[in-house]
Amino acid sequence: MYEHIRTIVPEERLLFHEPMSRHTTFRVGGEAECMAVVETKEELSQLVSYLGRIEQDYFVLGNGSNLLVGDKGYRGIILKLGPRLSAVGVEKNHIAAGAGVLLSKVASVARDAGLSGLEFAAGIPGSMGGAIVMNAGAYGGEMKQVVQMVRVMDKEGEILTLDNDTMEFGYRTSIIRDRPFIVLGVVLKLTPGNKEEISARMEELMKQRKSKQPLEYPSAGSTFKRPEGYYAGKLIMDAGLRGYRIGGAQVSEKHCGFVINAGGATAADIREVIEEVQERVKDRFHVRLEPEVIFLGDF
């Protein structure tokens, strides 16, 4: 298998036994058996179709901001999108962005171009690809509001174009959550606006984030989806779990909706805290909290 992969991706872009703690915002995780840094659609197409044919597990990695990799690592192939799949361009009121670029960078490009509609995304730490998959949102904004079209690759390596309606955007979900599609890029349709006003709004939202969220600790952002009719953080707080800790993993005292790596946490610590929070909230309030975090590999 690796001999064939080397014919697609140069040796210098193949990382073996790569610690996933270097690639996730939780800063935990064991080794990936192999990480291939993919720079072109052609490379990605060849890899995806080949790995599919041999039934080899793989995972497409963005910024690792919504991901918990087990301490025993991941035995499949990690496909990490490189800089050439992370370009950003502006044309009139449209922005074309590759899946690998940080969402916060695209928000900054929009601001500098005097385009409004992406202010909510300024502090979201994920990549554009991840933001599309989960319809990322904050402070009343979400990707659904600004996406015009998405280019994806299917499991055969073919490229498809999906419009906004076809994406089936919902709360922290899209059609891609249930289909074997890889996001390649997106075209956003924004609204011309005043640069100073856009910048001021972004600064205002960043101040809110810093005052209310534990940004000083490694985490995956909001750990749980908002259950209908409730707020996850309040349920967790009312269940008496503020500051609850196992090893180095802790329910944030600043915002109970965040499970943080308070220092020296393992992936198992974090997963145990998440599961304990789910169990106690369900016992107390009969509400099931669904994690936003993706669990990958062996714990």
Side-chain angles (χ1 to χ4, degrees):
M1 178 181 70
Y2 291 127
E3 287 179 9
H4 187 82
I5 289 175
R6 285 184 175 93
T7 68
I8 302 171
V9 178
E11 186 76 33
E12 63 268 20
R13 288 196 269 116
L14 294 177
L15 307 174
F16 293 93
H17 306 292
E18 179 69 7
M20 291 302 292
S21 57
R22 297 176 181 172
H23 302 278
T24 65
T25 56
F26 264 130
R27 298 291 176 255
V28 301
E31 295 180 347
E33 192 170 296
C34 176
M35 176 182 289
V37 181
V38 185
E39 289 286 11
T40 68
K41 296 172 187 174
E42 291 73 26
E43 287 179 354
L44 185 61
S45 176
Q46 290 180 56
L47 281 171
V48 166
S49 59
Y50 170 67
L51 295 174
R53 285 198 306 273
I54 66 171
E55 298 183 347
Q56 169 64 54
D57 289 340
Y58 64 89
F59 183 83
V60 181
L61 179 69
N63 195 44
S65 60
N66 218 33
L67 183 65
L68 181 63
V69 181
D71 300 306
K72 296 176 183 176
Y74 178 63
R75 296 182 212 176
I77 311 296
I78 297 289
L79 304 179
K80 184 170 177 63
L81 304 183
R84 289 177 62 186
L85 292 172
S86 306
V88 184
V90 181
E91 185 174 347
K92 295 183 180 178
N93 64 325
H94 291 83
I95 290 183
V101 69
L102 289 179
L103 187 57
S104 56
K105 179 179 178 179
V106 182
S108 296
V109 170
R111 175 199 62 206
D112 295 342
L115 294 175
S116 178
L118 210 56
E119 291 88 335
F120 73 88
I124 296 176
S127 65
M128 177 58 74
I132 295 298
V133 172
M134 67 174 292
N135 187 26
Y139 300 109
E142 58 183 354
M143 297 307 297
K144 176 182 179 179
Q145 299 166 355
V146 295
V147 169
Q148 184 173 63
M149 56 83 76
V150 180
R151 285 185 301 279
V152 300
M153 184 175 290
D154 67 17
K155 61 182 180 180
E156 279 80 39
E158 298 296 322
I159 296 176
L160 309 172
T161 298
L162 309 179
D163 63 18
N164 190 299
D165 290 338
T166 307
M167 285 296 299
E168 297 180 10
F169 285 120
Y171 175 66
R172 299 300 176 265
T173 190
S174 72
I175 193 173
I176 300 174
R177 292 298 289 261
D178 301 314
R179 303 286 180 92
F181 291 154
I182 298 170
V183 178
L184 296 176
V186 60
V187 174
L188 308 177
K189 185 177 181 181
L190 303 176
T191 304
N194 179 281
K195 286 185 185 180
E196 288 73 24
E197 291 177 1
I198 294 168
S199 183
R201 176 60 176 161
M202 288 170 66
E203 289 177 15
E204 177 190 347
L205 294 181
M206 281 304 300
K207 285 180 183 177
Q208 289 187 45
R209 283 183 184 277
K210 288 177 181 177
S211 67
K212 296 178 181 179
Q213 299 178 6
L215 303 182
E216 63 273 27
Y217 292 100
S219 78
S222 295
T223 307
F224 302 96
K225 296 180 181 179
R226 186 179 68 243
E228 190 171 351
Y230 300 91
Y231 289 98
K234 188 173 190 312
L235 289 171
I236 295 166
M237 180 178 66
D238 291 347
L241 290 165
R242 181 190 293 275
Y244 177 79
R245 184 166 181 156
I246 295 175
Q250 182 180 15
V251 174
S252 169
E253 296 185 13
K254 192 173 186 179
H255 189 315
C256 291
F258 286 63
V259 174
I260 61 173
N261 180 353
T266 64
D269 292 339
I270 294 169
R271 186 163 189 166
E272 282 188 57
V273 169
I274 290 172
E275 290 173 348
E276 183 67 19
V277 166
Q278 287 178 295
E279 187 175 329
R280 291 207 199 177
V281 167
K282 187 176 182 181
D283 288 347
R284 177 87 180 266
F285 302 109
H286 308 291
V287 176
R288 184 184 180 278
L289 293 179
E290 184 181 349
E292 285 192 21
V293 178
I294 296 168
F295 301 102
L296 182 70
D298 300 321
F299 286 80

